[in-house]
Amino acid sequence: MTMLSSFVTKTLGAAAVAFAAMSGSASAWEPTKPIDFVIMAGAGGGADQIARFIQSVAEKKGLTSRPLVPNNKGGGSGAEALIHLKGASDPDHTILVTLNSYFTTPLRQKGLGIDVKTFTPVAMMGVDPFVLWVHKDSGITTFEDWVEKVKADNGEYVMGGTGSGQEDSLVITFMEQNFGLDIKYIPYKGGGAVAKDLAGQQIMASVNNPAEAKGFYEAGDVVPLIAFSDERLAAYPDVRTVKEIGKDFSYYNQRAVVGAPGQSAEAAEYYQKLFETIYNTEEWQEYMTSESLSPLWMAPEDQTAYWQLQIDNHVELLAKMEE
Amino acid sequence: MEILGLLSDGLLLALQPINVGMILIGVTIGLFIGAMPGLGSVNGVAILLPITFLVPPESAIIFLAAIYYGAMYGGAISSITLGIPGASTAVATTFDGRPLALQGRASLALVTAALASFVGGTISVILFTLFAPLLASVALSFGPPEIFALMLLAFATFVGLGGDDIPKTVLSICLGLVLASVGFDEISGEPRLVFFDISGFLHGINFLVLAIGVYGIGEMMWTIDTTRGKITTTESRMTLRGAIADAGEFLRRAWRGTAIGSSLGFFVGILPAAGATPGSLMSYGVAKMLARDGNEYGKGHPDGVAAPEAANNSASTGSMLPMLTLGIPGSPTTAILLGGMVIWGLTPGPRLFTDQPEFVWGLIGSFYISNFFALVINLSFIPLFIWMLRMPFTILAPMIFVLSIVGGSAATKDMHDVWLIVIFGLAAFFLRKFDYPLAPAVLAIVLGPIAEPTLRQSLLLSSGDPMIFLNRPIAGPITVIAIILIFMPLLKMVRNRMRQQSEKTA
């Protein structure tokens, strides 16, 4: 028995060496089993759509030797996904598609004991800007008119957004504090529901991502008033940015991929290369254009610095919200 | 008739050989995915989405829609033969389907399910074809107060579901509502009821986990306990004559449930918050409420199989409507389909009908054809399912147990949920011994997550004034009907007491 197993080991070892020599990349790490592709949101949301798009590109082009298996863990505003990654039994085969709850959830739920800086940077696939939308029947066409209307409504102006203490409510709080507004905020489960209720005039305005409001915009139901991006969006060239009206503010939802804490350097390098390849595909570039994502490619070390910056920003934003 | 022209183009597209092939494969895959407990159309569509790159977008969506359809038919199979809901959309089918199977009438239940599904699917496609744009605006006019009013109505119909013991029914509903609120509070953005800080509770208690626990494990233990394993489902072999007789009985005894399920299911399906699961449960409740022999429900009434089955097919077509006309998913499965459309380079939303008529009408055309093939394929497999039932219960019981466990872990890929299934199964067994109805708890865990946020959103909108449910044109009438229904059993109780007392004094 021992003889047999040692024989097997030797043969396999020899075969492995021979194979490595042939491929000429003895050190390159490859996944040895399906990759747990965790998504920080439920099925069907914006983050989920992006994750499934990425998966489909990888599949279509045969970029991975083992499949990416989407795994929705949206519970607790992403807390479930973060806990799953923190306790991953095989960090080399566990990666996560994130949005900004990557920053806000650990800050708001301190009991989780999650420090995102322990996670492994992989790729920043792009950032999703926010835009202020109103229904066309409101007759409002400029941001100034809108501010006037909200002030006139004296606390009865209704806006909807995704969740509480998350992206949408942070942007709305920013407007309240910087333009002296009092807005009634209704939390929803997802951006799709918000966009639908704006089109049905259940709410008066929203700060949907362009991808979420696009269909209704093209049908002429909703009107964009202002963009929370650094520069004007290519798809909405006439829409001013908040910076143009004199407030130094921009806000994006990050569409980034990260690895589990404790991921080996070799595995991290593999994923960094993989997602760089996906990022550069024609498909992803077209997707970014059609969904109005802004490119924000950065090297892994820059990503870690970016996280710190975002954490600081969000500490400040959340603190302002408490006021 | 412009619509007829567009529809015939669509039918022609759907009848192209590649698309018919897609429909046949899709429906068959869907049938088996639906029949596997725990796996439903969501899983099937999500798993097979990436392989649809090999074909044009029209064929891809036809394939995925066929899986969706097939799964709606298939869900009934394990609900009836094994008593475990094959998919969340088929839970209500167990209420009467399982008793029928135990009485040796599984073929009647299966034929009823197949025919009701076909009728539901066909009626809904016709409604879809004729009124799609109009109905889209109806969906838009349903804001949080309207949806809450509708949920209230659903609860009201179910107060009557638990039989005569109203306090036990209410307790069962409350139990379901508590379980539904476990996890994360969307409105405040805080976790809640995360027992012992177990992270598995953060995603809440999946409705299938409760349903499989109650109907899989609990039901199996109940059967073993009451029959000591000597259960005999004396089903003779399935014959053509038997099937025709069953079809005749379907026409006589299940038309009412089919009609209710087809119309109500479609309507609930087009509302973006709801989908096929609430649709089928509500249809069951309404059919029971409107039936003259309502007390026969739950004991093996064909109407009780027909209503939810017609409804889940009807609702699945219905939930395509907000997806195609508004770009908003009406159910978890259509959410995945929507993602697929983005991948294929289409923009879902109000302009899809005008920008991509071929795609939209090809899909609508495929609904008609998928329905037909699903019926034929489903009917031809019935003898196989009946044969499974003839196995001794000592073989079936372990099979049910294994399927329940596998189904539980398949739904969320989390061992935590498997333990919950076992715990719920045990709890259900004992509650049943004390005569607690459990269907209301299952209903509550489905509707709770829709009712609670819409209630709170409405009250935020009105600054806490509950009149918002009464003074809006759509929400008002629904709320009034719901309140009347809720108090009806109470009134009946009071009246009966008074009558009894007057009899005594007389």
Side-chain angles (χ1 to χ4, degrees), chain A residues 76 80 164 184 187 196 202, chain B residues 142 187 203 457 461 463 472:
Chain A
E80 198 194 358
S164 282
K184 197 186 265 186
K196 176 228 149 208
Q202 308 292 340
Chain B
F142 267 68
I187 305 285
H203 65 224
Q457 285 166 345
L461 273 170
S463 306
R472 288 169 61 118

Side-chain angles (χ1 to χ4, degrees), chain A residues 44 55-56 70 75-77 80 83 108-109 158 164 184 186-189 192 196-197 200 202 214-216 218-219 287, chain B residues 50 53 139-144 184 186-191 202-203 326 328 335 342-343 350-351 457 460-461 463 472:
Chain A
Q55 179 219 2
S56 70
S77 190
E80 198 194 358
I83 292 170
R108 283 175 52 87
Q109 303 176 36
V158 180
S164 282
K184 197 186 265 186
I186 314 286
Y188 280 84
K189 187 166 188 179
K196 176 228 149 208
D197 267 8
Q202 308 292 340
K214 195 175 152 205
F216 293 108
E218 285 175 357
Y287 183 86
Chain B
F53 287 108
L140 277 186
S141 63
F142 267 68
F184 191 74
E186 279 164 33
I187 305 285
S188 70
E190 303 286 342
L202 275 172
H203 65 224
L326 303 173
I328 307 291
V342 175
I343 297 175
R351 291 195 55 80
Q457 285 166 345
L460 279 171
L461 273 170
S463 306
R472 288 169 61 118

Side-chain angles (χ1 to χ4, degrees), chain B residues 73-97:
Chain B
Y73 279 80
I77 294 162
S78 46
S79 295
I80 292 167
T81 53
L82 302 175
I84 325 171
S88 60
T89 47
V91 171
T93 314
T94 53
F95 299 165
D96 279 275

Side-chain angles (χ1 to χ4, degrees), chain A residues 175-218:
Chain A
M175 291 196 294
E176 286 188 310
Q177 291 179 344
N178 285 275
F179 299 98
L181 309 175
D182 184 8
I183 293 165
K184 197 186 265 186
Y185 178 73
I186 314 286
Y188 280 84
K189 187 166 188 179
V194 177
K196 176 228 149 208
D197 267 8
L198 177 61
Q201 299 197 68
Q202 308 292 340
I203 53 175
M204 302 174 186
S206 76
V207 285
N208 278 121
N209 294 126
E212 294 161 344
K214 195 175 152 205
F216 293 108
Y217 167 71
E218 285 175 357

